[in-house]
Amino acid sequence: MTSRACSVHEIRRERRAEGPAMVLAIGRANPLNCVSQEDYPDYYFRVTKSEHLTDLKDTFKKLCEITGMGKRFFYHTEKLLNVHPELLHHASPSIDVRLEIATTAAPELAASAAVKAIAEWGRPATDITHLVVSTNSAAHAPSVDFRLASLLGLRSSVCRTMLHLNGCSGGCAALRLAKDLAENNRGARVLVACVELTITSFRGPDKEDCFDTLISQGLFSDGAGAVIVGADTVRSVEHPLFEMVSVSQAVIPESEHLLNMRLGNSGICGNISTELPRLTGDNIERCLLDALEPLGIHVKWNDLFWVVHPGSRGVLDHIEVALQLEPKKLAASRTVMREHGNMLGATVIFVLDEQRRLMEKDAAGAHGWGVMVGFGPGFTAETTVLRATGGDQNKNY
């Protein structure tokens, strides 16, 4: 028994990577249909045949003005909505149509982002060993991961994992899983793909629950982000961008009623409380301290770089005030919110890419500690401690 136990221990040790998980490449993609946030109220009430609801339209205009968005992208078009009028009404059973559309569109959009990440990575797609896909836009099996693997030409032996309905925290959750896979499987290369299509939740305004409908229709957008994660990098080919030092998750007590999602006959619907920005600001520091203190990291908040999921401008404003951050610290989040909107789980990957771009422009800021934070139903906070490498492959761990 002793020799057998030693043998298992040695096998496990040999199969684990020696270094930390690293972000090796990032890709992102949006559909072609782009609508400015300024024009969106007119667009939305026109395509949903709701222009007679003038009071709701005025409310919607005010809501769109305070989101911090400049434009959004959608897979669905006015032509598609005209073909499927059942998508516009709360009472119309439409889940089958929504999922049928997403079954084709979601893998294709995810593939567009993944192809860019693989090209930046510099190795063939067949070197991907694990695939983690997160979406709020599917509810079938085989799911997005199966079709995506085929579109990319991944090996039939690739290990696939699907994450459904994690809301806006889906991107951080997928990267947390990727870190574990990369560090516990020597030589593993994990492709993370997060894809979101609002076709599963798009609908016209409804007087019965006007606020819940309007806030979701005013916030969310379509997009896909892809990240390749690995440890024990190949120095001649791979160029690490960020070390994933640690991951943690926290649920804010007694908050589960403030943000939720559900899949029903008319697609995805849910509740988004106006209390979320304040609640986020009140709890963000405790979540960060719980993530950093066990590592022995004690820094001022302005010494970190920040990759924060921008749920809305209000969320970012409350975080900035609570932590007394300099305005530039959340620049990447605000830029993504302005240029792309809230793409649920995919958004944090866009922010990570935008932060990388900002750091490349500032050579002095290309290294150092940072945090990636995402929020989702629960109310759940996902925190990842990062260290920027500046592409340096010769770091001491």
Side-chain angles (χ1 to χ4, degrees):
M1 292 295 293
T2 302
S3 61
R4 185 177 180 182
C6 290
S7 177
V8 170
H9 175 76
E10 291 176 359
I11 291 172
R12 180 173 179 271
R13 185 180 59 190
E14 287 299 317
R15 290 183 64 85
R16 297 184 67 184
E18 294 182 5
M22 298 184 182
V23 172
L24 303 177
I26 308 171
R28 55 186 185 178
N30 293 104
L32 296 177
N33 185 24
C34 179
V35 182
S36 75
Q37 190 75 337
E38 182 180 2
D39 296 335
Y40 191 68
D42 290 333
Y43 171 88
Y44 174 66
F45 277 78
R46 185 183 74 251
V47 300
T48 59
K49 312 297 191 291
S50 306
E51 291 181 293
H52 60 288
L53 301 175
T54 54
D55 289 345
L56 287 183
K57 186 175 179 179
D58 289 341
T59 300
F60 192 59
K61 284 183 177 179
K62 294 176 183 177
L63 189 152
C64 287
E65 289 172 358
I66 64 174
T67 59
M69 299 181 191
K71 58 186 176 182
R72 290 191 285 167
F73 296 83
F74 301 104
Y75 173 81
H76 59 266
T77 61
E78 190 168 354
K79 180 179 179 181
L80 177 64
L81 296 174
N82 286 335
V83 174
H84 296 287
E86 66 272 27
L87 300 178
L88 307 180
H89 306 292
H90 286 249
S92 299
S94 57
I95 186 60
D96 289 342
V97 171
R98 296 175 190 274
L99 292 180
E100 182 180 356
I101 294 170
T103 296
T104 299
E108 290 178 352
L109 186 59
S112 297
V115 165
K116 295 175 183 177
I118 291 170
E120 180 185 320
W121 178 40
R123 292 175 60 178
T126 50
D127 285 355
I128 297 293
T129 60
H130 296 73
L131 175 63
V132 179
V133 179
S134 175
T135 188
N136 297 282
S137 309
H140 53 274
S143 194
V144 179
D145 58 328
F146 186 85
R147 177 62 176 151
L148 178 59
S150 176
L151 289 173
L152 297 176
L154 305 186
R155 292 183 296 180
S156 60
S157 59
V158 68
C159 296
R160 298 178 288 113
T161 302
M162 244 345 277
L163 302 178
H164 291 98
L165 296 179
N166 278 268
C168 293
S169 61
C172 286
L175 289 167
R176 169 166 51 82
L177 176 57
K179 171 180 167 59
D180 287 346
L181 291 171
E183 293 179 349
N184 285 285
N185 295 274
R186 184 185 293 271
R189 291 299 179 267
V190 186
L191 171 61
V192 172
C194 297
V195 58
E196 307 293 357
L197 299 174
T198 53
I199 190 64
T200 54
S201 59
F202 183 85
R203 55 180 55 87
D206 181 28
K207 289 185 177 181
E208 297 302 318
D209 65 344
C210 61
F211 184 77
D212 286 333
T213 297
L214 292 182
I215 194 169
S216 62
Q217 300 303 318
L219 274 178
F220 298 116
S221 181
D222 295 359
V227 176
I228 294 177
V229 176
D232 297 333
T233 57
V234 180
R235 295 186 177 185
S236 60
V237 179
E238 297 171 319
H239 305 282
L241 304 172
F242 300 96
E243 296 173 0
M244 303 176 69
V245 181
S246 73
V247 291
S248 58
Q249 183 190 83
V251 176
I252 308 305
E254 300 180 1
S255 64
E256 62 272 12
H257 62 288
L258 298 179
L259 178 63
N260 55 69
M261 304 168 64
R262 52 193 177 274
L263 188 64
N265 287 337
S266 60
I268 292 177
C269 56
N271 305 101
I272 305 174
S273 172
T274 56
E275 289 297 303
L276 284 179
R278 180 193 60 78
L279 186 74
T280 304
D282 289 346
N283 290 275
I284 184 66
E285 187 166 37
R286 183 69 264 163
C287 293
L288 294 169
L289 290 173
D290 289 346
L292 292 167
E293 286 182 344
L295 305 177
I297 299 174
H298 302 280
V299 295
K300 295 179 180 179
W301 298 132
N302 280 301
D303 291 337
L304 299 171
F305 65 84
W306 293 81
V307 179
V308 178
H309 170 73
S312 68
R313 181 164 61 188
V315 169
L316 296 177
D317 289 346
H318 275 77
I319 291 175
E320 191 172 89
V321 171
L323 302 178
Q324 300 182 29
L325 295 177
E326 299 169 3
K328 67 178 181 179
K329 288 298 178 176
L330 298 181
S333 297
R334 294 190 187 277
T335 295
V336 170
M337 193 65 174
R338 182 176 64 251
E339 297 297 322
H340 302 276
N342 183 340
M343 300 163 287
L344 292 101
T347 317
V348 76
I349 295 177
F350 278 64
V351 178
L352 186 66
D353 191 34
E354 185 64 28
Q355 182 62 36
R356 179 261 294 263
R357 295 170 189 267
L358 292 175
M359 296 172 83
E360 286 176 348
K361 293 179 181 179
D362 179 12
H367 295 79
W369 294 98
V371 289
M372 178 169 60
V373 186
F375 309 101
F379 181 58
T380 304
E382 295 263 2
T383 304
T384 303
V385 178
L386 300 172
R387 189 173 184 183
T389 69
D392 185 359
Q393 301 153 307
N394 299 306
K395 297 182 70 66
N396 295 319
Y397 304 111

